[in-house]
Amino acid sequence: MEESKEQILVKRLLQKEEAAWKELFGAFSSNLTYVCSRYVSEREDVHDVLQNSFIKMFRSIESFEYRGGGSLKAWITRITVNESLKYIKQKGDFKSTVEVDDLPDLPNEEEPDFEEIPKADIMEIIRSLPDGYRTVFNLYVFEQKSHKEIALLLGIAENSSASQFHRAKGLLVQKIKEFKMSKKAQYE
């Protein structure tokens, strides 16, 4: 059976071939920057976390186990998410900064309506959430972690994870309505 491009790249990475690392960076840096920026809001910090992620990949490539197509991408994405979480915890202001009284009432668990909003604007709206809310929201929605897994990852109670997710959704509903109203006002 012929080796895939991914398997060949992994072999080259294991040999610490500089060109292979440049290839990996070129192929995945923009996707990993996006992943990282879901958790870390400041651009300079995103670049620092991304750099730390690539250093971690370089130092731990021997632990990578090829499990089929896409496994390299999954592995480097997991490292980037973990490095992002590590940064947030070290920064120390992980706790949410929005009071419960500031949240809108959510009739019948209203869901954020992302229809007709460009992806870049959605990303900015998510990035504007307080760190705790944004982190839990990203882990639950994008990484598909359970509240139990999130609680273990972040060192918080399971019900805190669920509560922060609920509050994140409430803020998103509010921010999306404000965004749509401001866009509508621009065209009137």
Side-chain angles (χ1 to χ4, degrees), residues 112-129:
D113 178 15
F114 293 113
E115 263 281 325
E116 299 174 17
I117 300 179
K119 187 178 178 179
D121 291 324
I122 292 171
M123 182 65 182
E124 281 306 310
I125 293 169
I126 292 171
R127 289 179 71 189
S128 73
L129 292 172

Side-chain angles (χ1 to χ4, degrees), residues 94-110:
F94 172 74
K95 302 297 178 222
S96 61
T97 55
V98 176
E99 294 298 320
V100 177
D101 299 339
D102 296 339
L103 292 173
D105 289 328
L106 294 178
N108 301 323
E109 281 291 313
E110 188 176 349

Side-chain angles (χ1 to χ4, degrees), residues 14-47:
L14 285 164
Q15 294 167 353
K16 305 284 185 181
E17 187 182 310
E18 187 176 338
W21 286 97
K22 286 182 181 177
E23 189 179 321
L24 179 78
F25 184 83
F28 293 103
S29 64
S30 103
N31 182 43
L32 295 177
T33 298
Y34 175 77
V35 168
C36 188
S37 66
R38 288 196 320 241
Y39 295 92
V40 179
S41 51
E42 297 297 321
R43 273 203 202 313
E44 303 82 36
D45 297 335
V46 167
H47 292 295

Side-chain angles (χ1 to χ4, degrees), residues 55-153:
I55 290 169
K56 178 87 171 198
M57 290 170 214
F58 183 79
R59 289 184 176 155
S60 59
I61 187 65
E62 291 82 16
S63 69
F64 172 72
E65 183 181 323
Y66 183 78
R67 295 182 178 162
S71 59
L72 179 62
K73 182 179 180 183
W75 183 74
I76 63 176
T77 300
R78 190 172 57 251
I79 288 174
T80 304
V81 168
N82 288 339
E83 287 298 309
S84 298
L85 295 176
K86 185 171 139 185
Y87 170 80
I88 290 168
K89 287 179 187 176
Q90 287 173 343
K91 200 169 90 169
D93 61 354
F94 172 74
K95 302 297 178 222
S96 61
T97 55
V98 176
E99 294 298 320
V100 177
D101 299 339
D102 296 339
L103 292 173
D105 289 328
L106 294 178
N108 301 323
E109 281 291 313
E110 188 176 349
E111 293 290 323
D113 178 15
F114 293 113
E115 263 281 325
E116 299 174 17
I117 300 179
K119 187 178 178 179
D121 291 324
I122 292 171
M123 182 65 182
E124 281 306 310
I125 293 169
I126 292 171
R127 289 179 71 189
S128 73
L129 292 172
D131 286 348
Y133 297 176
R134 182 179 64 244
T135 302
V136 170
F137 181 83
N138 283 317
L139 287 169
Y140 190 83
V141 172
F142 295 107
E143 310 306 328
Q144 300 176 336
K145 301 283 186 196
S146 69
H147 288 300
K148 186 175 187 170
E149 292 170 310
I150 294 169
L152 288 171
L153 271 172

